[in-house]
Amino acid sequence: MNTQSSWKETEVVKRYVEGGRASFPYSIDHIVVMLRLLKYNEKDIKSFIDLGTGDGLLGQLILEQHKDAFGYLIDFSDAMLQEAKIRMADYKSSVEIIYGDISSPEWQRSVFKNDSAKVDAIVSGYCIHHLSHERKFELYSEIYDRLSDNGIFINLEHVSSSSDWGEILNDEAFIDSMEAFAEKNGDKRDREEISREYHLRPDKKDNILMTVEKQTEWLRQIGFKRVDIYFKSYELAVFSGTKL
């Protein structure tokens, strides 16, 4: 991942943690779909990895649902890892919070003690789209290899639109959601200011987007089964595959 990524900056992380993610359109629905996939997969989740964990929200919710599980929470941003440590303070015996960069296969060494070690589930939230397309495919292959039989991969992701009109619809949906979030929280910014901040946000330069259709095609090519797009709202999607 780009060593100059804005996600290493404390202010960017703070803004995201304090409201950026919550203002995503349908953000709660994405998480509900992820938890449902984990719940109904034909395998008890005893171990999982959250790639690009951010502040650890997904890991926390997984542990609340799968109380006997152990999670490995990985991120390359020190600022994010500090937020994850705060959030996971009550789960110290159930998680390992790890510095790791998924832009290189070396991330695996930070989790696994040997080449044959595997986990029951791997999730990622709005992270993999920062990788080059070539690296995305490589990472999906690494994820497949690191899943146990019946293990599941779930990606909550920012994907590309198939048309310019789709991009416009996505931008307007984001601005609508951000405006509603601001109003709910007593934020006095008007739509014009919110729109300007959205389009000029510093993390936008880190995005390397690809259609969800192409990415699910890759999962099938790698060997995943039950590959599907379980939720899509404009440029946000939840897609998954199982290693059977």
Side-chain angles (χ1 to χ4, degrees), residues 113-149:
K113 306 307 180 187
N114 57 69
D115 292 338
S116 61
K118 301 180 187 300
V119 293
D120 300 323
I122 298 178
V123 303
S124 185
Y126 318 120
C127 175
I128 295 174
H129 67 277
H130 296 138
L131 303 175
S132 69
H133 295 336
E134 179 182 10
R135 179 59 195 149
K136 288 183 180 74
F137 184 89
E138 292 173 348
L139 178 62
Y140 292 152
S141 298
E142 293 160 9
I143 289 170
Y144 182 84
D145 291 341
R146 288 300 186 173
L147 285 172
S148 58
D149 292 342

PDB file of all heavy atoms in Angstrom, residues 113-149:
ATOM      1  N   LYS A 113       2.176 -18.625  11.851  1.00  0.00           N
ATOM      2  CA  LYS A 113       3.474 -19.123  12.303  1.00  0.00           C
ATOM      3  C   LYS A 113       4.089 -20.098  11.312  1.00  0.00           C
ATOM      4  O   LYS A 113       5.291 -20.360  11.360  1.00  0.00           O
ATOM      5  CB  LYS A 113       3.313 -19.811  13.663  1.00  0.00           C
ATOM      6  CG  LYS A 113       2.632 -18.944  14.726  1.00  0.00           C
ATOM      7  CD  LYS A 113       3.311 -17.591  14.885  1.00  0.00           C
ATOM      8  CE  LYS A 113       2.608 -16.752  15.944  1.00  0.00           C
ATOM      9  NZ  LYS A 113       3.137 -15.366  15.995  1.00  0.00           N
ATOM     10  N   ASN A 114       3.265 -20.659  10.432  1.00  0.00           N
ATOM     11  CA  ASN A 114       3.799 -21.585   9.425  1.00  0.00           C
ATOM     12  C   ASN A 114       2.954 -21.503   8.165  1.00  0.00           C
ATOM     13  O   ASN A 114       1.865 -20.925   8.154  1.00  0.00           O
ATOM     14  CB  ASN A 114       3.835 -23.020   9.969  1.00  0.00           C
ATOM     15  CG  ASN A 114       2.461 -23.496  10.419  1.00  0.00           C
ATOM     16  OD1 ASN A 114       1.577 -23.714   9.595  1.00  0.00           O
ATOM     17  ND2 ASN A 114       2.274 -23.659  11.725  1.00  0.00           N
ATOM     18  N   ASP A 115       3.442 -22.113   7.093  1.00  0.00           N
ATOM     19  CA  ASP A 115       2.792 -21.988   5.792  1.00  0.00           C
ATOM     20  C   ASP A 115       1.465 -22.735   5.707  1.00  0.00           C
ATOM     21  O   ASP A 115       0.674 -22.476   4.798  1.00  0.00           O
ATOM     22  CB  ASP A 115       3.728 -22.508   4.690  1.00  0.00           C
ATOM     23  CG  ASP A 115       4.941 -21.613   4.513  1.00  0.00           C
ATOM     24  OD1 ASP A 115       4.861 -20.440   4.914  1.00  0.00           O
ATOM     25  OD2 ASP A 115       5.955 -22.089   3.968  1.00  0.00           O
ATOM     26  N   SER A 116       1.212 -23.639   6.626  1.00  0.00           N
ATOM     27  CA  SER A 116      -0.015 -24.431   6.559  1.00  0.00           C
ATOM     28  C   SER A 116      -1.128 -23.905   7.471  1.00  0.00           C
ATOM     29  O   SER A 116      -2.242 -24.426   7.455  1.00  0.00           O
ATOM     30  CB  SER A 116       0.278 -25.890   6.932  1.00  0.00           C
ATOM     31  OG  SER A 116       0.774 -25.980   8.266  1.00  0.00           O
ATOM     32  N   ALA A 117      -0.842 -22.877   8.264  1.00  0.00           N
ATOM     33  CA  ALA A 117      -1.840 -22.344   9.198  1.00  0.00           C
ATOM     34  C   ALA A 117      -2.990 -21.674   8.445  1.00  0.00           C
ATOM     35  O   ALA A 117      -2.787 -21.028   7.414  1.00  0.00           O
ATOM     36  CB  ALA A 117      -1.184 -21.350  10.143  1.00  0.00           C
ATOM     37  N   LYS A 118      -4.210 -21.843   8.977  1.00  0.00           N
ATOM     38  CA  LYS A 118      -5.396 -21.309   8.316  1.00  0.00           C
ATOM     39  C   LYS A 118      -6.376 -20.762   9.342  1.00  0.00           C
ATOM     40  O   LYS A 118      -6.258 -21.044  10.534  1.00  0.00           O
ATOM     41  CB  LYS A 118      -6.073 -22.408   7.474  1.00  0.00           C
ATOM     42  CG  LYS A 118      -5.156 -23.004   6.397  1.00  0.00           C
ATOM     43  CD  LYS A 118      -5.855 -24.077   5.601  1.00  0.00           C
ATOM     44  CE  LYS A 118      -4.902 -24.784   4.646  1.00  0.00           C
ATOM     45  NZ  LYS A 118      -4.303 -23.855   3.672  1.00  0.00           N
ATOM     46  N   VAL A 119      -7.367 -19.995   8.860  1.00  0.00           N
ATOM     47  CA  VAL A 119      -8.420 -19.456   9.723  1.00  0.00           C
ATOM     48  C   VAL A 119      -9.781 -19.763   9.101  1.00  0.00           C
ATOM     49  O   VAL A 119      -9.874 -20.157   7.937  1.00  0.00           O
ATOM     50  CB  VAL A 119      -8.268 -17.930   9.928  1.00  0.00           C
ATOM     51  CG1 VAL A 119      -7.016 -17.609  10.716  1.00  0.00           C
ATOM     52  CG2 VAL A 119      -8.277 -17.199   8.581  1.00  0.00           C
ATOM     53  N   ASP A 120     -10.826 -19.561   9.878  1.00  0.00           N
ATOM     54  CA  ASP A 120     -12.174 -19.912   9.444  1.00  0.00           C
ATOM     55  C   ASP A 120     -12.859 -18.810   8.630  1.00  0.00           C
ATOM     56  O   ASP A 120     -13.799 -19.088   7.885  1.00  0.00           O
ATOM     57  CB  ASP A 120     -13.046 -20.234  10.659  1.00  0.00           C
ATOM     58  CG  ASP A 120     -12.492 -21.397  11.463  1.00  0.00           C
ATOM     59  OD1 ASP A 120     -11.965 -22.343  10.848  1.00  0.00           O
ATOM     60  OD2 ASP A 120     -12.570 -21.348  12.712  1.00  0.00           O
ATOM     61  N   ALA A 121     -12.422 -17.577   8.813  1.00  0.00           N
ATOM     62  CA  ALA A 121     -13.039 -16.466   8.088  1.00  0.00           C
ATOM     63  C   ALA A 121     -12.030 -15.338   7.930  1.00  0.00           C
ATOM     64  O   ALA A 121     -11.186 -15.115   8.809  1.00  0.00           O
ATOM     65  CB  ALA A 121     -14.278 -15.959   8.820  1.00  0.00           C
ATOM     66  N   ILE A 122     -12.138 -14.639   6.810  1.00  0.00           N
ATOM     67  CA  ILE A 122     -11.353 -13.427   6.577  1.00  0.00           C
ATOM     68  C   ILE A 122     -12.321 -12.366   6.067  1.00  0.00           C
ATOM     69  O   ILE A 122     -13.084 -12.609   5.132  1.00  0.00           O
ATOM     70  CB  ILE A 122     -10.218 -13.653   5.569  1.00  0.00           C
ATOM     71  CG1 ILE A 122      -9.229 -14.695   6.109  1.00  0.00           C
ATOM     72  CG2 ILE A 122      -9.499 -12.337   5.276  1.00  0.00           C
ATOM     73  CD1 ILE A 122      -8.087 -15.026   5.166  1.00  0.00           C
ATOM     74  N   VAL A 123     -12.301 -11.210   6.714  1.00  0.00           N
ATOM     75  CA  VAL A 123     -13.158 -10.102   6.307  1.00  0.00           C
ATOM     76  C   VAL A 123     -12.295  -8.878   6.033  1.00  0.00           C
ATOM     77  O   VAL A 123     -11.153  -8.778   6.508  1.00  0.00           O
ATOM     78  CB  VAL A 123     -14.219  -9.773   7.381  1.00  0.00           C
ATOM     79  CG1 VAL A 123     -15.067 -11.001   7.692  1.00  0.00           C
ATOM     80  CG2 VAL A 123     -13.577  -9.227   8.650  1.00  0.00           C
ATOM     81  N   SER A 124     -12.852  -7.958   5.282  1.00  0.00           N
ATOM     82  CA  SER A 124     -12.168  -6.689   5.034  1.00  0.00           C
ATOM     83  C   SER A 124     -13.223  -5.622   4.797  1.00  0.00           C
ATOM     84  O   SER A 124     -14.244  -5.877   4.143  1.00  0.00           O
ATOM     85  CB  SER A 124     -11.240  -6.800   3.825  1.00  0.00           C
ATOM     86  OG  SER A 124     -10.499  -5.605   3.650  1.00  0.00           O
ATOM     87  N   GLY A 125     -12.985  -4.442   5.347  1.00  0.00           N
ATOM     88  CA  GLY A 125     -13.935  -3.351   5.198  1.00  0.00           C
ATOM     89  C   GLY A 125     -13.314  -2.116   4.573  1.00  0.00           C
ATOM     90  O   GLY A 125     -12.481  -1.454   5.207  1.00  0.00           O
ATOM     91  N   TYR A 126     -13.673  -1.834   3.320  1.00  0.00           N
ATOM     92  CA  TYR A 126     -13.282  -0.600   2.628  1.00  0.00           C
ATOM     93  C   TYR A 126     -11.764  -0.399   2.643  1.00  0.00           C
ATOM     94  O   TYR A 126     -11.265   0.680   2.970  1.00  0.00           O
ATOM     95  CB  TYR A 126     -13.971   0.618   3.259  1.00  0.00           C
ATOM     96  CG  TYR A 126     -15.417   0.386   3.600  1.00  0.00           C
ATOM     97  CD1 TYR A 126     -15.868   0.509   4.910  1.00  0.00           C
ATOM     98  CD2 TYR A 126     -16.341   0.030   2.620  1.00  0.00           C
ATOM     99  CE1 TYR A 126     -17.201   0.285   5.234  1.00  0.00           C
ATOM    100  CE2 TYR A 126     -17.664  -0.202   2.942  1.00  0.00           C
ATOM    101  CZ  TYR A 126     -18.095  -0.076   4.242  1.00  0.00           C
ATOM    102  OH  TYR A 126     -19.400  -0.303   4.581  1.00  0.00           O
ATOM    103  N   CYS A 127     -11.053  -1.449   2.268  1.00  0.00           N
ATOM    104  CA  CYS A 127      -9.591  -1.395   2.345  1.00  0.00           C
ATOM    105  C   CYS A 127      -8.911  -1.848   1.058  1.00  0.00           C
ATOM    106  O   CYS A 127      -7.984  -1.202   0.577  1.00  0.00           O
ATOM    107  CB  CYS A 127      -9.124  -2.265   3.516  1.00  0.00           C
ATOM    108  SG  CYS A 127      -7.342  -2.415   3.656  1.00  0.00           S
ATOM    109  N   ILE A 128      -9.361  -2.950   0.501  1.00  0.00           N
ATOM    110  CA  ILE A 128      -8.649  -3.579  -0.612  1.00  0.00           C
ATOM    111  C   ILE A 128      -8.659  -2.702  -1.860  1.00  0.00           C
ATOM    112  O   ILE A 128      -7.781  -2.824  -2.720  1.00  0.00           O
ATOM    113  CB  ILE A 128      -9.231  -4.986  -0.876  1.00  0.00           C
ATOM    114  CG1 ILE A 128      -8.959  -5.882   0.346  1.00  0.00           C
ATOM    115  CG2 ILE A 128      -8.658  -5.619  -2.129  1.00  0.00           C
ATOM    116  CD1 ILE A 128      -9.597  -7.261   0.282  1.00  0.00           C
ATOM    117  N   HIS A 129      -9.597  -1.772  -1.948  1.00  0.00           N
ATOM    118  CA  HIS A 129      -9.642  -0.898  -3.125  1.00  0.00           C
ATOM    119  C   HIS A 129      -8.460   0.069  -3.183  1.00  0.00           C
ATOM    120  O   HIS A 129      -8.284   0.768  -4.187  1.00  0.00           O
ATOM    121  CB  HIS A 129     -10.959  -0.117  -3.170  1.00  0.00           C
ATOM    122  CG  HIS A 129     -11.116   0.886  -2.081  1.00  0.00           C
ATOM    123  ND1 HIS A 129     -11.566   0.564  -0.820  1.00  0.00           N
ATOM    124  CD2 HIS A 129     -10.892   2.229  -2.058  1.00  0.00           C
ATOM    125  CE1 HIS A 129     -11.620   1.642  -0.071  1.00  0.00           C
ATOM    126  NE2 HIS A 129     -11.202   2.667  -0.789  1.00  0.00           N
ATOM    127  N   HIS A 130      -7.640   0.096  -2.161  1.00  0.00           N
ATOM    128  CA  HIS A 130      -6.440   0.930  -2.190  1.00  0.00           C
ATOM    129  C   HIS A 130      -5.282   0.236  -2.895  1.00  0.00           C
ATOM    130  O   HIS A 130      -4.247   0.862  -3.158  1.00  0.00           O
ATOM    131  CB  HIS A 130      -6.011   1.285  -0.757  1.00  0.00           C
ATOM    132  CG  HIS A 130      -7.013   2.108  -0.026  1.00  0.00           C
ATOM    133  ND1 HIS A 130      -7.349   1.888   1.299  1.00  0.00           N
ATOM    134  CD2 HIS A 130      -7.781   3.152  -0.426  1.00  0.00           C
ATOM    135  CE1 HIS A 130      -8.258   2.765   1.672  1.00  0.00           C
ATOM    136  NE2 HIS A 130      -8.540   3.542   0.650  1.00  0.00           N
ATOM    137  N   LEU A 131      -5.436  -1.041  -3.201  1.00  0.00           N
ATOM    138  CA  LEU A 131      -4.369  -1.808  -3.839  1.00  0.00           C
ATOM    139  C   LEU A 131      -4.459  -1.719  -5.355  1.00  0.00           C
ATOM    140  O   LEU A 131      -5.541  -1.527  -5.916  1.00  0.00           O
ATOM    141  CB  LEU A 131      -4.459  -3.281  -3.420  1.00  0.00           C
ATOM    142  CG  LEU A 131      -4.401  -3.585  -1.931  1.00  0.00           C
ATOM    143  CD1 LEU A 131      -4.629  -5.078  -1.701  1.00  0.00           C
ATOM    144  CD2 LEU A 131      -3.076  -3.150  -1.332  1.00  0.00           C
ATOM    145  N   SER A 132      -3.326  -1.912  -6.024  1.00  0.00           N
ATOM    146  CA  SER A 132      -3.349  -2.014  -7.479  1.00  0.00           C
ATOM    147  C   SER A 132      -4.199  -3.216  -7.876  1.00  0.00           C
ATOM    148  O   SER A 132      -4.399  -4.155  -7.086  1.00  0.00           O
ATOM    149  CB  SER A 132      -1.929  -2.190  -8.024  1.00  0.00           C
ATOM    150  OG  SER A 132      -1.418  -3.477  -7.674  1.00  0.00           O
ATOM    151  N   HIS A 133      -4.696  -3.231  -9.098  1.00  0.00           N
ATOM    152  CA  HIS A 133      -5.532  -4.347  -9.536  1.00  0.00           C
ATOM    153  C   HIS A 133      -4.761  -5.666  -9.502  1.00  0.00           C
ATOM    154  O   HIS A 133      -5.302  -6.708  -9.105  1.00  0.00           O
ATOM    155  CB  HIS A 133      -6.073  -4.075 -10.940  1.00  0.00           C
ATOM    156  CG  HIS A 133      -7.002  -2.897 -11.000  1.00  0.00           C
ATOM    157  ND1 HIS A 133      -7.701  -2.442  -9.911  1.00  0.00           N
ATOM    158  CD2 HIS A 133      -7.352  -2.085 -12.043  1.00  0.00           C
ATOM    159  CE1 HIS A 133      -8.443  -1.393 -10.264  1.00  0.00           C
ATOM    160  NE2 HIS A 133      -8.236  -1.157 -11.547  1.00  0.00           N
ATOM    161  N   GLU A 134      -3.507  -5.625  -9.915  1.00  0.00           N
ATOM    162  CA  GLU A 134      -2.688  -6.841  -9.881  1.00  0.00           C
ATOM    163  C   GLU A 134      -2.566  -7.368  -8.458  1.00  0.00           C
ATOM    164  O   GLU A 134      -2.686  -8.580  -8.206  1.00  0.00           O
ATOM    165  CB  GLU A 134      -1.299  -6.547 -10.446  1.00  0.00           C
ATOM    166  CG  GLU A 134      -0.367  -7.754 -10.434  1.00  0.00           C
ATOM    167  CD  GLU A 134       1.016  -7.430 -10.956  1.00  0.00           C
ATOM    168  OE1 GLU A 134       1.322  -6.232 -11.157  1.00  0.00           O
ATOM    169  OE2 GLU A 134       1.807  -8.370 -11.158  1.00  0.00           O
ATOM    170  N   ARG A 135      -2.371  -6.462  -7.518  1.00  0.00           N
ATOM    171  CA  ARG A 135      -2.216  -6.888  -6.121  1.00  0.00           C
ATOM    172  C   ARG A 135      -3.540  -7.369  -5.538  1.00  0.00           C
ATOM    173  O   ARG A 135      -3.547  -8.290  -4.703  1.00  0.00           O
ATOM    174  CB  ARG A 135      -1.640  -5.730  -5.298  1.00  0.00           C
ATOM    175  CG  ARG A 135      -1.454  -6.050  -3.820  1.00  0.00           C
ATOM    176  CD  ARG A 135      -0.522  -7.226  -3.594  1.00  0.00           C
ATOM    177  NE  ARG A 135      -0.639  -7.713  -2.219  1.00  0.00           N
ATOM    178  CZ  ARG A 135      -0.468  -8.953  -1.849  1.00  0.00           C
ATOM    179  NH1 ARG A 135      -0.162  -9.888  -2.743  1.00  0.00           N
ATOM    180  NH2 ARG A 135      -0.588  -9.309  -0.590  1.00  0.00           N
ATOM    181  N   LYS A 136      -4.650  -6.785  -5.963  1.00  0.00           N
ATOM    182  CA  LYS A 136      -5.950  -7.279  -5.511  1.00  0.00           C
ATOM    183  C   LYS A 136      -6.074  -8.776  -5.808  1.00  0.00           C
ATOM    184  O   LYS A 136      -6.464  -9.573  -4.938  1.00  0.00           O
ATOM    185  CB  LYS A 136      -7.084  -6.531  -6.209  1.00  0.00           C
ATOM    186  CG  LYS A 136      -7.328  -5.091  -5.784  1.00  0.00           C
ATOM    187  CD  LYS A 136      -8.542  -4.545  -6.537  1.00  0.00           C
ATOM    188  CE  LYS A 136      -8.862  -3.104  -6.178  1.00  0.00           C
ATOM    189  NZ  LYS A 136      -7.913  -2.143  -6.775  1.00  0.00           N
ATOM    190  N   PHE A 137      -5.796  -9.152  -7.052  1.00  0.00           N
ATOM    191  CA  PHE A 137      -5.922 -10.559  -7.450  1.00  0.00           C
ATOM    192  C   PHE A 137      -4.991 -11.439  -6.616  1.00  0.00           C
ATOM    193  O   PHE A 137      -5.384 -12.513  -6.147  1.00  0.00           O
ATOM    194  CB  PHE A 137      -5.598 -10.724  -8.934  1.00  0.00           C
ATOM    195  CG  PHE A 137      -5.804 -12.127  -9.444  1.00  0.00           C
ATOM    196  CD1 PHE A 137      -7.033 -12.530  -9.935  1.00  0.00           C
ATOM    197  CD2 PHE A 137      -4.759 -13.049  -9.422  1.00  0.00           C
ATOM    198  CE1 PHE A 137      -7.233 -13.824 -10.389  1.00  0.00           C
ATOM    199  CE2 PHE A 137      -4.954 -14.347  -9.867  1.00  0.00           C
ATOM    200  CZ  PHE A 137      -6.192 -14.733 -10.356  1.00  0.00           C
ATOM    201  N   GLU A 138      -3.766 -10.985  -6.424  1.00  0.00           N
ATOM    202  CA  GLU A 138      -2.812 -11.759  -5.621  1.00  0.00           C
ATOM    203  C   GLU A 138      -3.327 -11.936  -4.193  1.00  0.00           C
ATOM    204  O   GLU A 138      -3.220 -13.023  -3.620  1.00  0.00           O
ATOM    205  CB  GLU A 138      -1.450 -11.057  -5.597  1.00  0.00           C
ATOM    206  CG  GLU A 138      -0.735 -11.041  -6.931  1.00  0.00           C
ATOM    207  CD  GLU A 138       0.537 -10.194  -6.891  1.00  0.00           C
ATOM    208  OE1 GLU A 138       0.741  -9.446  -5.910  1.00  0.00           O
ATOM    209  OE2 GLU A 138       1.321 -10.284  -7.855  1.00  0.00           O
ATOM    210  N   LEU A 139      -3.866 -10.870  -3.623  1.00  0.00           N
ATOM    211  CA  LEU A 139      -4.365 -10.943  -2.252  1.00  0.00           C
ATOM    212  C   LEU A 139      -5.541 -11.912  -2.156  1.00  0.00           C
ATOM    213  O   LEU A 139      -5.617 -12.701  -1.204  1.00  0.00           O
ATOM    214  CB  LEU A 139      -4.786  -9.564  -1.763  1.00  0.00           C
ATOM    215  CG  LEU A 139      -5.375  -9.512  -0.343  1.00  0.00           C
ATOM    216  CD1 LEU A 139      -4.352  -9.966   0.694  1.00  0.00           C
ATOM    217  CD2 LEU A 139      -5.882  -8.105  -0.015  1.00  0.00           C
ATOM    218  N   TYR A 140      -6.449 -11.873  -3.106  1.00  0.00           N
ATOM    219  CA  TYR A 140      -7.573 -12.808  -3.087  1.00  0.00           C
ATOM    220  C   TYR A 140      -7.077 -14.254  -3.134  1.00  0.00           C
ATOM    221  O   TYR A 140      -7.654 -15.131  -2.476  1.00  0.00           O
ATOM    222  CB  TYR A 140      -8.520 -12.532  -4.249  1.00  0.00           C
ATOM    223  CG  TYR A 140      -9.274 -11.221  -4.152  1.00  0.00           C
ATOM    224  CD1 TYR A 140      -9.692 -10.538  -5.290  1.00  0.00           C
ATOM    225  CD2 TYR A 140      -9.580 -10.657  -2.919  1.00  0.00           C
ATOM    226  CE1 TYR A 140     -10.388  -9.346  -5.210  1.00  0.00           C
ATOM    227  CE2 TYR A 140     -10.269  -9.465  -2.819  1.00  0.00           C
ATOM    228  CZ  TYR A 140     -10.663  -8.806  -3.977  1.00  0.00           C
ATOM    229  OH  TYR A 140     -11.349  -7.622  -3.882  1.00  0.00           O
ATOM    230  N   SER A 141      -6.021 -14.496  -3.893  1.00  0.00           N
ATOM    231  CA  SER A 141      -5.441 -15.839  -3.945  1.00  0.00           C
ATOM    232  C   SER A 141      -4.827 -16.225  -2.606  1.00  0.00           C
ATOM    233  O   SER A 141      -4.973 -17.368  -2.145  1.00  0.00           O
ATOM    234  CB  SER A 141      -4.375 -15.905  -5.050  1.00  0.00           C
ATOM    235  OG  SER A 141      -4.934 -15.652  -6.323  1.00  0.00           O
ATOM    236  N   GLU A 142      -4.146 -15.278  -1.958  1.00  0.00           N
ATOM    237  CA  GLU A 142      -3.574 -15.541  -0.629  1.00  0.00           C
ATOM    238  C   GLU A 142      -4.673 -15.819   0.399  1.00  0.00           C
ATOM    239  O   GLU A 142      -4.531 -16.708   1.248  1.00  0.00           O
ATOM    240  CB  GLU A 142      -2.729 -14.344  -0.199  1.00  0.00           C
ATOM    241  CG  GLU A 142      -1.465 -14.148  -1.041  1.00  0.00           C
ATOM    242  CD  GLU A 142      -0.893 -12.744  -0.950  1.00  0.00           C
ATOM    243  OE1 GLU A 142      -1.351 -11.946  -0.102  1.00  0.00           O
ATOM    244  OE2 GLU A 142       0.028 -12.440  -1.736  1.00  0.00           O
ATOM    245  N   ILE A 143      -5.750 -15.062   0.313  1.00  0.00           N
ATOM    246  CA  ILE A 143      -6.875 -15.276   1.221  1.00  0.00           C
ATOM    247  C   ILE A 143      -7.436 -16.678   1.036  1.00  0.00           C
ATOM    248  O   ILE A 143      -7.710 -17.387   2.021  1.00  0.00           O
ATOM    249  CB  ILE A 143      -7.959 -14.203   0.980  1.00  0.00           C
ATOM    250  CG1 ILE A 143      -7.469 -12.843   1.497  1.00  0.00           C
ATOM    251  CG2 ILE A 143      -9.279 -14.595   1.638  1.00  0.00           C
ATOM    252  CD1 ILE A 143      -8.352 -11.679   1.100  1.00  0.00           C
ATOM    253  N   TYR A 144      -7.625 -17.095  -0.200  1.00  0.00           N
ATOM    254  CA  TYR A 144      -8.145 -18.443  -0.477  1.00  0.00           C
ATOM    255  C   TYR A 144      -7.250 -19.505   0.157  1.00  0.00           C
ATOM    256  O   TYR A 144      -7.727 -20.432   0.815  1.00  0.00           O
ATOM    257  CB  TYR A 144      -8.238 -18.662  -1.982  1.00  0.00           C
ATOM    258  CG  TYR A 144      -8.810 -20.003  -2.376  1.00  0.00           C
ATOM    259  CD1 TYR A 144     -10.189 -20.195  -2.435  1.00  0.00           C
ATOM    260  CD2 TYR A 144      -7.983 -21.082  -2.673  1.00  0.00           C
ATOM    261  CE1 TYR A 144     -10.722 -21.428  -2.785  1.00  0.00           C
ATOM    262  CE2 TYR A 144      -8.505 -22.315  -3.015  1.00  0.00           C
ATOM    263  CZ  TYR A 144      -9.872 -22.484  -3.073  1.00  0.00           C
ATOM    264  OH  TYR A 144     -10.409 -23.715  -3.411  1.00  0.00           O
ATOM    265  N   ASP A 145      -5.949 -19.357  -0.027  1.00  0.00           N
ATOM    266  CA  ASP A 145      -5.004 -20.338   0.506  1.00  0.00           C
ATOM    267  C   ASP A 145      -5.019 -20.377   2.030  1.00  0.00           C
ATOM    268  O   ASP A 145      -4.715 -21.425   2.629  1.00  0.00           O
ATOM    269  CB  ASP A 145      -3.585 -20.028   0.024  1.00  0.00           C
ATOM    270  CG  ASP A 145      -3.405 -20.275  -1.469  1.00  0.00           C
ATOM    271  OD1 ASP A 145      -4.226 -21.015  -2.049  1.00  0.00           O
ATOM    272  OD2 ASP A 145      -2.457 -19.711  -2.056  1.00  0.00           O
ATOM    273  N   ARG A 146      -5.368 -19.261   2.668  1.00  0.00           N
ATOM    274  CA  ARG A 146      -5.304 -19.180   4.130  1.00  0.00           C
ATOM    275  C   ARG A 146      -6.626 -19.518   4.822  1.00  0.00           C
ATOM    276  O   ARG A 146      -6.706 -19.484   6.042  1.00  0.00           O
ATOM    277  CB  ARG A 146      -4.852 -17.782   4.542  1.00  0.00           C
ATOM    278  CG  ARG A 146      -3.376 -17.516   4.244  1.00  0.00           C
ATOM    279  CD  ARG A 146      -2.482 -18.492   4.983  1.00  0.00           C
ATOM    280  NE  ARG A 146      -1.056 -18.178   4.824  1.00  0.00           N
ATOM    281  CZ  ARG A 146      -0.079 -18.790   5.466  1.00  0.00           C
ATOM    282  NH1 ARG A 146      -0.370 -19.776   6.303  1.00  0.00           N
ATOM    283  NH2 ARG A 146       1.174 -18.456   5.275  1.00  0.00           N
ATOM    284  N   LEU A 147      -7.640 -19.867   4.042  1.00  0.00           N
ATOM    285  CA  LEU A 147      -8.912 -20.271   4.627  1.00  0.00           C
ATOM    286  C   LEU A 147      -8.959 -21.785   4.827  1.00  0.00           C
ATOM    287  O   LEU A 147      -8.500 -22.553   3.979  1.00  0.00           O
ATOM    288  CB  LEU A 147     -10.080 -19.857   3.729  1.00  0.00           C
ATOM    289  CG  LEU A 147     -10.448 -18.373   3.724  1.00  0.00           C
ATOM    290  CD1 LEU A 147     -11.479 -18.088   2.642  1.00  0.00           C
ATOM    291  CD2 LEU A 147     -10.973 -17.923   5.088  1.00  0.00           C
ATOM    292  N   SER A 148      -9.531 -22.201   5.935  1.00  0.00           N
ATOM    293  CA  SER A 148      -9.759 -23.626   6.167  1.00  0.00           C
ATOM    294  C   SER A 148     -10.938 -24.088   5.309  1.00  0.00           C
ATOM    295  O   SER A 148     -11.640 -23.271   4.693  1.00  0.00           O
ATOM    296  CB  SER A 148     -10.052 -23.874   7.648  1.00  0.00           C
ATOM    297  OG  SER A 148     -11.177 -23.111   8.059  1.00  0.00           O
ATOM    298  N   ASP A 149     -11.177 -25.383   5.252  1.00  0.00           N
ATOM    299  CA  ASP A 149     -12.310 -25.910   4.493  1.00  0.00           C
ATOM    300  C   ASP A 149     -13.604 -25.299   5.020  1.00  0.00           C
ATOM    301  O   ASP A 149     -13.817 -25.224   6.238  1.00  0.00           O
ATOM    302  CB  ASP A 149     -12.368 -27.428   4.606  1.00  0.00           C
ATOM    303  CG  ASP A 149     -11.206 -28.103   3.896  1.00  0.00           C
ATOM    304  OD1 ASP A 149     -10.572 -27.436   3.043  1.00  0.00           O
ATOM    305  OD2 ASP A 149     -10.924 -29.277   4.193  1.00  0.00           O
TER     306      ASP A 149
END
